[in-house]
Amino acid sequence: MLASSAARRAGLLHSSRRNDLKALICVKRVVDYAVKIRVQQDKKGVEIKDLKLSINPFCEIAVEEGIRMKEKGLVDEIVSMSIG
């Protein structure tokens, strides 16, 4: 991020309006930090029924940074993707 903003100020990068730059942000859902995880009766895994999931805290930071980049005009579009 710092290198690209320094390059932009130096005139090395073109305006994002001409490039239609998109930001891809990968997001992962994880077990909420406040939930107590229960082991299945057969001891072969964890109980996932009625388990509360939330966005990974590090992914949340990435989404916030993507929004900041859009507000600054560094990217034209933010795309969020989650697999699995």
Side-chain angles (χ1 to χ4, degrees):
M1 174 64 193
L2 291 175
S4 66
S5 62
R8 185 174 301 282
R9 276 181 292 198
L12 299 176
L13 295 177
H14 298 289
S15 167
S16 62
R17 297 290 173 218
R18 287 182 282 200
N19 292 338
D20 295 326
L21 188 63
K22 296 180 183 181
L24 175 64
I25 301 172
C26 300
V27 178
K28 181 170 176 68
R29 290 184 353 161
V30 294
V31 177
D32 190 89
Y33 70 92
V35 174
K36 182 175 179 178
I37 298 173
R38 298 179 308 269
V39 178
Q40 290 177 345
Q41 299 250 342
D42 60 4
K43 309 262 192 237
K44 293 186 178 181
V46 295
E47 190 69 44
I48 57 172
K49 184 180 177 193
D50 299 327
L51 193 61
K52 182 181 176 194
L53 298 174
S54 63
I55 187 171
N56 180 339
F58 297 107
C59 296
E60 192 172 335
I61 293 168
V63 170
E64 290 173 1
E65 186 60 29
I67 292 169
R68 284 189 199 105
M69 291 173 70
K70 175 135 174 85
E71 289 172 347
K72 290 179 185 177
L74 298 174
V75 296
D76 292 321
E77 185 178 350
I78 301 169
V79 179
S80 178
M81 177 180 68
S82 180
I83 299 175

